[in-house]
Amino acid sequence: MIKVENLHHSYNNNDEYAVKDANFEIPEGEIFGFLGPSGAGKSTTQGILTGLLPLQKGIVTVAGYDVKTIKRKMFNKIGMSFEQSNVYSKMTAKENLDFYKKLFDVETRDSEELIKLVGLDGKENVRAGEFSKGMKHRLTFARSMINNPELWFLDEPTTGLDPAIAADIKDIIRQQNKKGVTIFLTTHNMFIADELCNRVAFIVDGEIKLIDSPKKLKLEYGEQLVEVEYQKNGDIATETFSTVLAEDKKRLQDVIAKYDIQSMHTKEATLEEIFIKVTGRGLA
Amino acid sequence: MKLWHSFKKEILLATRGFYFYVEIAMAGLFLFLLLFVIPENFDHRVDEYLFYDVPDSAWGYFESELLEMDEDGSVEVVEIELDKEIISGSLYQTEENNYYVLDEQKQAISLADSERAFAGVIHMDELGEVTYTYYMQGYETDRLRNIYAVFHNESMDVLESAFAAQDVQVLHEDQVLLSDRQNILPSFLTFNGSLMGMFILASYIFLDKKEGVIKAYAVTTSPVWQYLLSKVGVITLTSLVTSLIITIPVIGTQANYLGMFVFLLGTGFAASALGLVIASYFDDITHSFGVLFGLVILLMLPNIAYFIPTWDPIWMKYIPTYAMLEGFKEILLPGGDMSYILMASFGFFIAGLVLFLFANMRFKKTLTI
């Protein structure tokens, strides 16, 4: 669905690249996470893929269209949810969606159904200017689905949302993906990436450092340990066992057999820890 | 079709915004000024204070000259305030002057001083020799002073024969002039239809930039030029409506409304395209204010030449509002020059097109993320 080869971009048209030699491919139906700290080049890459920024160097194909000579009908296949909500504040939620419906040449979704889907039911006829930041964000998110996109760009889709709403948004993303929608998710939130993405790319200083599935990354970079808390002579004891070493495995079995286990956790590395390990940089 | 939907959306946004009502209110204010403050025609007559130091026997001759010039052939006795005192004088009104004939020389001189006006003392000695003494303000041109000098030092016969030798050709026999009130209208229409359009269009764009909606539009199948053109359309429509609000009550059916429609389309398009270009270089109205303000001042300059025809330098003619003022005047004049209106409209349309294409290129380039 997306193919990027040797992508470079410089805002000053010189050797200071915001994106340097990026290469990746996203097959249909995948949720691809593009992860990195602020200023890493995430939004620049997304801007090029969506035609908001001109393609300077490299080959980029999006939904079967060459981005160098972008065709407007490409946008029939694309949905874009921006990090900063951008709806007409003087128009109601329904008027906003109804207007955007008319800007596509494909079958579009019902505005009221989308408003309901993102939890804004009852607010159809309220002007977006009266909405809270989170509500505007949800309306922006709803708008990005108006044209039933085959390829969906999501920029920080849960930022600024309370946990319950964020969970609903994640459910919607999963549902859309089940329908076959390819998703390009840009975020610095490793938890949402971990939960949703089939594969993730780590980008720092414009360079993609790594691309793989969260599961494989955890296996590769995480420590295979189990931390056990158990009661021993009236006190709480804590021990860590390797799930690979035979000696530790035997000792773990002994502890389980001999003592009352209070808690037992695998010491799997988080995506954030792996990011720091791989890139040497935090996500803040 | 998408352009139409964008246009409808812009109309909706405009009616829910502040600037639309500013334009309507400005048109209302202009109309109020034109109908209730500005008279149909200004009184252009210049006051002159005269004292005739002549024998009673000669006064009859001078008075008959004054009465001959007077519009109704009769003298009016008036009261004039001078140094907080009321004095009386005789007023003779001609098409161009108010002649106040006073009883004392010092009254004429004092009034010339206090009223910053022209005074004349006409003296006749025992031999019948007439001497004219003029009291001026000091800023009169040499040309004017020379005229007075020549006027009294040459034989009237010489002057009259010189006047008679002038070849005067009437170019337009049935020339119709606009009243003073109607003559102000082109200035209001230029300001309202064009300068306001440029300013308000830039404001609309800045509002959209603040809300980030241009980026959302850019990821639809509708090209950015349609977004920009829909804004231009709203501005042009608003300027058409507000121009009619001002024009119809003041000028009635006399105006060439078809010409006005065409001219407003051309000038409105050019002015709003200029607003687009300016808006493409700035993020908000505060940053653009210097440029907008400077441009408005520059574009207002031809107004000075319009109201003071003696000051009309060549370079002024290159400022687009000069042609706008002339165009609106032709529209308002009965039998105005339609070919000028069409030519100017076409010129503005072409200029607008070039600016619009440039603005479109700029907006496509500056859709930063």
Side-chain angles (χ1 to χ4, degrees), chain A residues 11 43-48 50-54 72-76 78 80 82 85-92 95 99-100 102-105 127 143, chain B residues 1-2 5-10 12-13 16-18 207-208 211-224 227 231 364-369:
Chain A
Y11 285 101
S43 299
T44 305
T45 308
Q46 188 176 258
I48 296 163
T50 52
L52 288 173
L53 281 175
R72 298 309 304 177
K73 59 184 178 181
M74 177 183 97
F75 294 103
N76 281 324
I78 289 176
M80 172 80 199
F82 295 86
S85 48
N86 50 4
V87 289
Y88 288 103
S89 59
K90 289 191 179 71
M91 285 162 75
T92 66
E95 284 168 345
F99 167 62
Y100 278 95
K102 289 161 187 157
L103 300 182
F104 294 96
D105 309 314
R127 289 191 191 177
R143 187 188 60 202
Chain B
M1 204 58 191
K2 285 171 196 153
H5 290 305
S6 293
F7 177 70
K8 279 199 299 183
K9 180 261 302 176
E10 290 299 337
L12 181 72
L13 288 174
R16 288 180 184 173
F18 169 71
L207 206 64
D208 282 3
E211 292 190 325
V213 288
I214 305 179
K215 277 193 276 181
Y217 197 99
V219 290
T220 69
T221 60
S222 184
V224 173
Y227 160 82
K231 289 229 180 285
K364 280 204 280 190
K365 261 189 175 179
T366 55
L367 284 172
T368 47
I369 48 175

Coordinates of all heavy atoms in Angstrom, one line a residue, chain A residues 11 43-48 50-54 72-76 78 80 82 85-92 95 99-100 102-105 127 143, chain B residues 1-2 5-10 12-13 16-18 207-208 211-224 227 231 364-369:
Chain A
Y11 N 14.1 21.0 4.6 CA 13.3 22.2 4.5 C 14.0 23.4 3.9 O 13.4 24.3 3.4 CB 12.8 22.5 6.0 CG 11.7 21.6 6.4 CD1 12.0 20.6 7.3 CD2 10.4 21.8 6.0 CE1 11.0 19.7 7.7 CE2 9.4 20.9 6.4 CZ 9.7 19.9 7.2 OH 8.7 19.0 7.6
S43 N 6.4 13.5 11.2 CA 5.4 14.3 10.5 C 5.9 14.7 9.2 O 5.1 14.9 8.2 CB 5.1 15.6 11.4 OG 4.5 15.2 12.6
T44 N 7.2 14.9 9.0 CA 7.7 15.3 7.7 C 7.4 14.1 6.7 O 6.9 14.3 5.6 CB 9.2 15.6 7.7 OG1 9.4 16.6 8.7 CG2 9.8 16.0 6.4
T45 N 7.7 12.9 7.2 CA 7.5 11.7 6.3 C 6.0 11.6 6.0 O 5.6 11.4 4.8 CB 8.0 10.5 7.0 OG1 9.3 10.7 7.5 CG2 7.9 9.2 6.2
Q46 N 5.2 11.8 7.0 CA 3.7 11.7 6.8 C 3.3 12.8 5.8 O 2.4 12.5 5.0 CB 3.0 11.8 8.1 CG 1.5 11.5 8.0 CD 0.9 11.5 9.3 OE1 0.6 10.5 9.9 NE2 0.6 12.7 9.9
G47 N 3.8 14.0 6.0 CA 3.5 15.1 5.1 C 3.8 14.8 3.7 O 3.0 15.1 2.8
I48 N 4.9 14.1 3.4 CA 5.3 13.8 2.0 C 4.3 12.7 1.5 O 3.8 12.7 0.4 CB 6.7 13.3 2.0 CG1 7.7 14.4 2.3 CG2 7.1 12.8 0.6 CD1 9.1 14.0 2.7
T50 N 1.3 12.2 2.3 CA -0.1 12.7 2.1 C -0.1 13.8 1.1 O -1.1 14.4 0.9 CB -0.7 13.1 3.4 OG1 0.2 14.0 4.1 CG2 -1.0 11.9 4.3
G51 N 1.1 14.2 0.5 CA 1.1 15.3 -0.5 C 1.1 16.6 0.1 O 1.0 17.6 -0.6
L52 N 1.2 16.8 1.4 CA 1.2 18.1 2.0 C 2.6 18.7 1.8 O 2.7 20.0 1.9 CB 0.9 18.0 3.5 CG -0.6 17.7 3.9 CD1 -0.8 17.5 5.3 CD2 -1.5 18.9 3.4
L53 N 3.6 17.9 1.7 CA 4.9 18.4 1.4 C 5.4 17.8 0.1 O 5.1 16.7 -0.2 CB 5.9 17.9 2.5 CG 5.9 18.7 3.8 CD1 6.8 18.1 4.8 CD2 6.3 20.2 3.6
P54 N 6.1 18.6 -0.7 CA 6.6 18.1 -2.0 C 7.7 17.0 -1.8 O 8.4 17.1 -0.9 CB 7.2 19.3 -2.7 CG 7.5 20.3 -1.6 CD 6.6 20.0 -0.4
R72 N -5.2 14.1 -7.7 CA -6.2 14.4 -6.6 C -7.0 13.2 -6.3 O -7.4 13.0 -5.1 CB -7.1 15.5 -7.1 CG -6.5 16.9 -7.4 CD -5.6 17.4 -6.3 NE -6.2 17.6 -5.0 CZ -5.5 18.0 -3.9 NH1 -4.2 18.3 -4.0 NH2 -6.0 18.1 -2.8
K73 N -7.3 12.3 -7.3 CA -8.2 11.2 -7.0 C -7.5 10.2 -6.0 O -8.2 9.4 -5.4 CB -8.7 10.5 -8.2 CG -7.6 10.0 -9.1 CD -8.3 9.4 -10.4 CE -7.2 8.9 -11.3 NZ -7.7 8.3 -12.6
M74 N -6.2 10.4 -5.8 CA -5.5 9.5 -4.8 C -6.2 9.7 -3.4 O -6.3 8.8 -2.6 CB -4.1 9.9 -4.7 CG -3.3 9.2 -3.6 SD -1.6 9.8 -3.5 CE -1.7 11.0 -2.2
F75 N -6.7 10.9 -3.2 CA -7.2 11.2 -1.9 C -8.6 10.6 -1.6 O -9.1 10.6 -0.5 CB -7.3 12.8 -1.7 CG -6.0 13.4 -1.6 CD1 -5.5 14.1 -2.7 CD2 -5.2 13.3 -0.5 CE1 -4.2 14.7 -2.7 CE2 -3.9 13.8 -0.5 CZ -3.4 14.5 -1.5
N76 N -9.2 10.0 -2.7 CA -10.4 9.2 -2.5 C -10.1 8.0 -1.6 O -10.9 7.4 -0.9 CB -10.9 8.7 -3.8 CG -11.7 9.8 -4.5 OD1 -12.4 10.6 -3.8 ND2 -11.6 9.9 -5.8
I78 N -7.6 7.8 0.6 CA -6.8 8.2 1.8 C -7.6 8.9 2.9 O -8.4 9.8 2.5 CB -5.6 9.1 1.4 CG1 -4.6 8.3 0.7 CG2 -4.9 9.8 2.6 CD1 -3.4 9.0 0.2
M80 N -7.1 11.1 6.6 CA -6.0 11.7 7.4 C -6.5 12.4 8.7 O -7.4 13.3 8.6 CB -5.3 12.8 6.5 CG -4.3 13.6 7.2 SD -2.7 12.8 7.4 CE -1.9 13.7 8.7
F82 N -5.4 14.5 11.8 CA -4.3 15.3 12.2 C -4.1 15.4 13.7 O -5.1 15.2 14.4 CB -4.5 16.8 11.7 CG -4.5 16.9 10.2 CD1 -5.6 16.7 9.4 CD2 -3.3 17.2 9.5 CE1 -5.6 16.8 8.1 CE2 -3.3 17.3 8.1 CZ -4.5 17.1 7.4
S85 N -6.3 19.2 16.0 CA -7.7 19.2 15.4 C -7.8 20.4 14.5 O -7.4 21.5 14.9 CB -8.7 19.1 16.5 OG -8.5 20.1 17.5
N86 N -8.4 20.2 13.4 CA -8.6 21.3 12.4 C -10.0 21.2 11.8 O -10.1 20.7 10.6 CB -7.5 21.3 11.4 CG -7.2 20.0 10.8 OD1 -8.0 19.0 11.0 ND2 -6.3 19.9 9.9
V87 N -11.0 21.7 12.5 CA -12.3 21.7 12.0 C -12.8 23.2 12.0 O -12.2 24.0 12.7 CB -13.3 20.8 12.8 CG1 -13.0 19.4 12.6 CG2 -13.2 21.2 14.3
Y88 N -13.8 23.4 11.2 CA -14.4 24.8 11.2 C -15.1 25.1 12.5 O -16.2 24.5 12.7 CB -15.3 25.0 10.0 CG -14.6 25.0 8.6 CD1 -14.5 23.9 7.8 CD2 -13.9 26.2 8.2 CE1 -13.9 24.0 6.6 CE2 -13.2 26.2 7.0 CZ -13.2 25.1 6.2 OH -12.5 25.1 5.0
S89 N -14.6 26.0 13.2 CA -15.2 26.2 14.5 C -16.6 26.9 14.4 O -17.4 26.8 15.3 CB -14.3 27.1 15.4 OG -14.0 28.3 14.8
K90 N -16.8 27.6 13.3 CA -18.1 28.3 13.1 C -19.2 27.3 12.5 O -20.3 27.8 12.3 CB -18.0 29.5 12.3 CG -17.2 30.6 13.0 CD -17.3 31.9 12.2 CE -16.5 33.0 12.9 NZ -15.1 32.8 12.9
M91 N -18.8 26.1 12.2 CA -19.8 25.2 11.7 C -20.1 24.1 12.7 O -19.2 23.8 13.6 CB -19.2 24.5 10.4 CG -19.3 25.5 9.2 SD -18.2 25.0 7.9 CE -19.1 23.6 7.2
T92 N -21.3 23.5 12.7 CA -21.6 22.5 13.6 C -20.8 21.2 13.3 O -20.3 21.1 12.2 CB -23.1 22.2 13.6 OG1 -23.4 21.6 12.3 CG2 -23.9 23.4 13.9
E95 N -22.3 19.9 10.1 CA -22.0 20.7 8.9 C -20.6 20.5 8.5 O -20.3 20.4 7.3 CB -22.2 22.2 9.3 CG -23.7 22.6 9.3 CD -23.9 24.0 9.9 OE1 -23.0 24.5 10.6 OE2 -25.0 24.5 9.7
F99 N -19.9 18.9 4.9 CA -19.1 19.6 3.9 C -18.0 18.7 3.3 O -17.8 18.6 2.1 CB -18.5 20.9 4.5 CG -17.4 21.5 3.6 CD1 -17.7 22.0 2.3 CD2 -16.1 21.6 4.0 CE1 -16.7 22.5 1.5 CE2 -15.1 22.1 3.2 CZ -15.4 22.6 1.9
Y100 N -17.2 18.1 4.2 CA -16.1 17.2 3.7 C -16.6 16.0 2.8 O -15.9 15.6 1.9 CB -15.2 16.8 4.8 CG -14.2 17.9 5.2 CD1 -14.5 18.8 6.2 CD2 -13.1 18.1 4.5 CE1 -13.7 19.8 6.6 CE2 -12.2 19.1 4.8 CZ -12.5 20.0 5.8 OH -11.6 21.0 6.1
K102 N -18.7 16.1 0.6 CA -18.8 16.6 -0.8 C -17.5 16.8 -1.5 O -17.5 17.1 -2.7 CB -19.6 17.9 -0.8 CG -21.1 17.6 -0.4 CD -21.8 18.9 0.0 CE -23.2 18.6 0.5 NZ -23.6 19.6 1.4
L103 N -16.4 16.6 -0.8 CA -15.1 16.8 -1.5 C -14.5 15.5 -2.0 O -13.3 15.5 -2.4 CB -14.2 17.6 -0.5 CG -14.6 18.9 0.0 CD1 -13.6 19.6 0.9 CD2 -15.0 19.9 -1.2
F104 N -15.2 14.4 -1.9 CA -14.7 13.2 -2.4 C -15.6 12.6 -3.5 O -16.8 13.0 -3.6 CB -14.6 12.2 -1.3 CG -13.6 12.6 -0.2 CD1 -14.0 13.3 0.9 CD2 -12.2 12.3 -0.4 CE1 -13.1 13.7 1.9 CE2 -11.3 12.7 0.6 CZ -11.7 13.4 1.7
D105 N -15.0 11.8 -4.3 CA -15.8 11.2 -5.5 C -16.2 9.8 -5.2 O -16.6 9.1 -6.1 CB -14.9 11.2 -6.8 CG -14.3 12.6 -7.0 OD1 -15.0 13.6 -6.9 OD2 -13.1 12.7 -7.3
R127 N -21.9 23.9 17.4 CA -20.7 24.4 16.7 C -19.4 23.9 17.3 O -19.3 23.9 18.5 CB -20.7 25.9 16.6 CG -21.8 26.5 15.8 CD -21.6 28.0 15.6 NE -22.8 28.6 14.9 CZ -22.9 29.9 14.7 NH1 -22.0 30.7 15.0 NH2 -24.0 30.3 14.1
R143 N -13.9 12.8 10.9 CA -13.8 13.3 9.5 C -12.9 12.5 8.6 O -13.1 12.3 7.4 CB -13.3 14.7 9.6 CG -13.4 15.4 8.2 CD -12.8 16.8 8.3 NE -11.4 16.7 8.6 CZ -10.7 17.7 9.2 NH1 -11.2 18.9 9.4 NH2 -9.4 17.5 9.5
Chain B
M1 N -18.5 21.3 -9.2 CA -19.5 21.1 -8.2 C -18.9 21.2 -6.8 O -19.5 21.8 -5.9 CB -20.0 19.6 -8.3 CG -21.4 19.4 -7.7 SD -22.6 20.5 -8.4 CE -23.9 20.3 -7.2
K2 N -17.6 20.7 -6.7 CA -16.9 20.9 -5.4 C -16.6 22.4 -5.1 O -16.7 22.8 -4.0 CB -15.6 20.1 -5.4 CG -15.8 18.6 -5.3 CD -14.5 17.9 -5.5 CE -14.8 16.5 -5.8 NZ -13.7 15.8 -6.7
H5 N -19.8 23.7 -3.7 CA -19.9 23.4 -2.3 C -19.0 24.2 -1.4 O -19.4 24.6 -0.3 CB -19.6 21.9 -2.1 CG -20.7 21.0 -2.7 ND1 -22.0 21.1 -2.3 CD2 -20.6 20.0 -3.6 CE1 -22.7 20.2 -3.0 NE2 -21.9 19.5 -3.8
S6 N -17.8 24.4 -1.9 CA -16.8 25.2 -1.1 C -17.3 26.7 -1.0 O -17.2 27.3 0.0 CB -15.5 25.3 -1.8 OG -14.9 24.0 -1.7
F7 N -17.9 27.2 -2.1 CA -18.4 28.5 -2.1 C -19.6 28.6 -1.1 O -19.7 29.6 -0.3 CB -18.9 28.8 -3.5 CG -19.6 30.2 -3.7 CD1 -18.8 31.4 -3.5 CD2 -20.9 30.3 -3.9 CE1 -19.4 32.6 -3.7 CE2 -21.5 31.6 -4.0 CZ -20.8 32.7 -3.9
K8 N -20.5 27.6 -1.1 CA -21.6 27.7 -0.2 C -21.1 27.6 1.3 O -21.6 28.3 2.2 CB -22.5 26.4 -0.4 CG -23.5 26.6 -1.6 CD -24.6 25.6 -1.5 CE -24.2 24.2 -1.6 NZ -25.2 23.2 -1.6
K9 N -20.1 26.8 1.5 CA -19.5 26.7 2.9 C -18.9 28.1 3.3 O -19.1 28.5 4.4 CB -18.4 25.6 2.9 CG -17.7 25.4 4.1 CD -16.3 26.1 4.2 CE -15.4 25.6 3.1 NZ -14.1 26.3 3.1
E10 N -18.2 28.7 2.3 CA -17.6 30.1 2.6 C -18.7 31.1 2.9 O -18.5 32.0 3.8 CB -16.8 30.5 1.4 CG -15.5 29.7 1.2 CD -14.5 29.8 2.4 OE1 -14.6 30.7 3.2 OE2 -13.7 28.8 2.6
L12 N -21.6 30.5 4.2 CA -22.1 30.1 5.6 C -21.1 30.7 6.7 O -21.5 31.3 7.6 CB -22.2 28.6 5.7 CG -22.7 28.1 7.1 CD1 -24.2 28.3 7.2 CD2 -22.5 26.6 7.2
L13 N -19.8 30.4 6.4 CA -18.8 30.9 7.4 C -18.8 32.4 7.5 O -18.7 33.0 8.5 CB -17.4 30.4 7.0 CG -17.1 28.9 7.2 CD1 -15.8 28.6 6.6 CD2 -17.2 28.5 8.6
R16 N -21.5 33.8 9.5 CA -21.3 33.6 10.9 C -20.1 34.3 11.5 O -19.8 34.0 12.6 CB -21.2 32.1 11.2 CG -22.5 31.3 10.9 CD -22.4 29.9 11.2 NE -23.7 29.2 10.9 CZ -23.8 27.9 10.9 NH1 -22.8 27.1 11.2 NH2 -25.0 27.4 10.6
G17 N -19.5 35.0 10.6 CA -18.2 35.7 11.1 C -18.4 37.2 11.3 O -19.5 37.7 11.1
F18 N -17.4 37.8 11.7 CA -17.4 39.2 12.2 C -17.2 40.1 10.9 O -17.9 41.1 10.8 CB -16.3 39.3 13.2 CG -15.9 40.7 13.6 CD1 -16.8 41.5 14.3 CD2 -14.7 41.3 13.1 CE1 -16.5 42.8 14.7 CE2 -14.4 42.6 13.5 CZ -15.3 43.3 14.3
L207 N -7.7 33.3 9.5 CA -8.6 32.6 10.4 C -8.5 31.1 10.1 O -8.4 30.3 11.0 CB -10.0 33.1 10.2 CG -11.0 33.0 11.3 CD1 -10.5 33.8 12.5 CD2 -12.4 33.4 10.9
D208 N -8.5 30.8 8.8 CA -8.4 29.3 8.4 C -7.0 28.8 8.8 O -6.9 27.6 9.1 CB -8.6 29.2 6.9 CG -10.1 29.3 6.6 OD1 -10.9 29.5 7.5 OD2 -10.5 29.1 5.4
E211 N -7.0 27.9 12.3 CA -7.8 26.7 12.6 C -7.2 25.4 11.9 O -7.6 24.3 12.2 CB -9.3 26.8 12.2 CG -10.0 27.9 13.0 CD -11.5 27.9 12.7 OE1 -11.9 27.7 11.6 OE2 -12.3 28.1 13.7
G212 N -6.3 25.7 11.0 CA -5.6 24.5 10.3 C -6.4 23.9 9.3 O -6.1 22.8 8.8
V213 N -7.6 24.5 8.9 CA -8.5 23.8 7.9 C -7.9 23.7 6.5 O -8.4 22.9 5.7 CB -9.9 24.4 7.9 CG1 -10.6 24.1 9.2 CG2 -9.8 25.9 7.7
I214 N -7.0 24.5 6.2 CA -6.4 24.4 4.8 C -5.8 23.1 4.6 O -5.9 22.5 3.5 CB -5.4 25.6 4.5 CG1 -6.0 26.9 4.8 CG2 -4.9 25.5 3.1 CD1 -5.1 28.1 4.6
K215 N -5.1 22.6 5.6 CA -4.4 21.3 5.5 C -5.4 20.2 5.3 O -5.2 19.2 4.5 CB -3.6 21.0 6.8 CG -2.2 21.7 6.7 CD -1.3 21.1 7.8 CE -1.6 21.9 9.1 NZ -0.7 21.4 10.2
A216 N -6.6 20.3 6.1 CA -7.6 19.3 5.9 C -8.2 19.3 4.5 O -8.5 18.3 4.0 CB -8.7 19.6 7.0
Y217 N -8.3 20.5 3.9 CA -8.8 20.6 2.6 C -7.8 20.0 1.6 O -8.2 19.4 0.6 CB -9.1 22.1 2.3 CG -9.9 22.4 1.1 CD1 -11.3 22.7 1.3 CD2 -9.5 22.4 -0.2 CE1 -12.1 23.0 0.2 CE2 -10.3 22.6 -1.3 CZ -11.6 22.9 -1.1 OH -12.4 23.2 -2.2
A218 N -6.6 20.2 1.9 CA -5.5 19.8 1.0 C -5.5 18.2 0.8 O -4.9 17.7 -0.1 CB -4.2 20.3 1.4
V219 N -6.1 17.5 1.8 CA -6.0 16.0 1.6 C -7.4 15.5 1.2 O -7.8 14.4 1.5 CB -5.6 15.3 2.9 CG1 -4.1 15.6 3.1 CG2 -6.4 15.8 4.1
T220 N -8.1 16.3 0.4 CA -9.3 15.9 -0.3 C -9.1 15.9 -1.8 O -8.0 16.4 -2.2 CB -10.5 16.8 0.1 OG1 -10.3 18.1 -0.6 CG2 -10.7 17.1 1.6
T221 N -10.1 15.5 -2.5 CA -9.9 15.5 -4.0 C -10.1 16.8 -4.6 O -9.9 17.0 -5.8 CB -10.8 14.5 -4.7 OG1 -12.1 14.9 -4.4 CG2 -10.6 13.0 -4.2
S222 N -10.5 17.8 -3.8 CA -10.7 19.1 -4.3 C -9.4 19.9 -4.3 O -8.7 20.0 -3.2 CB -11.7 19.9 -3.5 OG -12.0 21.1 -4.0
P223 N -8.9 20.5 -5.4 CA -7.6 21.2 -5.4 C -7.7 22.5 -4.6 O -8.8 23.1 -4.5 CB -7.4 21.5 -6.9 CG -8.7 21.4 -7.6 CD -9.6 20.5 -6.8
V224 N -6.5 22.9 -4.2 CA -6.4 24.1 -3.3 C -6.9 25.3 -4.0 O -7.5 26.2 -3.4 CB -5.0 24.3 -2.8 CG1 -4.8 25.6 -2.1 CG2 -4.6 23.1 -1.9
Y227 N -10.4 26.0 -3.2 CA -10.6 26.6 -1.9 C -10.4 28.1 -2.0 O -11.1 28.9 -1.4 CB -9.6 25.9 -1.0 CG -9.3 26.7 0.3 CD1 -10.2 26.6 1.4 CD2 -8.2 27.5 0.4 CE1 -9.9 27.3 2.5 CE2 -7.9 28.2 1.6 CZ -8.8 28.1 2.6 OH -8.5 28.8 3.8
K231 N -13.2 31.5 -1.8 CA -13.0 32.7 -0.9 C -13.2 34.0 -1.7 O -13.8 34.9 -1.3 CB -11.7 32.6 -0.2 CG -11.5 31.6 0.9 CD -11.0 32.2 2.2 CE -10.8 31.1 3.2 NZ -12.1 30.7 3.8
K364 N 0.3 26.1 -2.2 CA 0.6 24.7 -2.4 C 2.0 24.4 -1.8 O 2.2 23.3 -1.2 CB 0.6 24.3 -3.9 CG -0.8 24.0 -4.4 CD -0.8 23.1 -5.6 CE -0.4 23.9 -6.9 NZ -0.7 23.1 -8.1
K365 N 2.8 25.4 -1.9 CA 4.2 25.3 -1.3 C 4.2 25.4 0.2 O 5.1 24.9 0.8 CB 5.1 26.4 -1.9 CG 5.9 25.9 -3.1 CD 6.9 27.0 -3.4 CE 7.9 26.6 -4.5 NZ 8.8 27.6 -4.8
T366 N 3.3 26.2 0.7 CA 3.4 26.5 2.2 C 2.4 25.7 3.0 O 2.2 26.1 4.1 CB 3.2 28.0 2.4 OG1 2.0 28.4 1.8 CG2 4.3 28.8 1.8
L367 N 1.9 24.6 2.5 CA 1.1 23.8 3.3 C 1.9 23.0 4.3 O 1.9 21.8 4.3 CB 0.2 22.9 2.5 CG -0.9 23.5 1.7 CD1 -1.6 22.6 0.8 CD2 -2.0 24.0 2.7
T368 N 2.7 23.7 5.1 CA 3.6 23.0 6.0 C 2.9 22.2 7.0 O 1.7 22.5 7.4 CB 4.5 24.0 6.7 OG1 3.7 25.0 7.2 CG2 5.6 24.5 5.7
I369 N 3.5 21.2 7.5 CA 2.8 20.3 8.5 C 3.1 20.7 9.9 O 3.9 21.5 10.2 CB 3.3 18.8 8.2 CG1 4.9 18.8 8.2 CG2 2.8 18.3 7.0 CD1 5.5 17.5 8.1

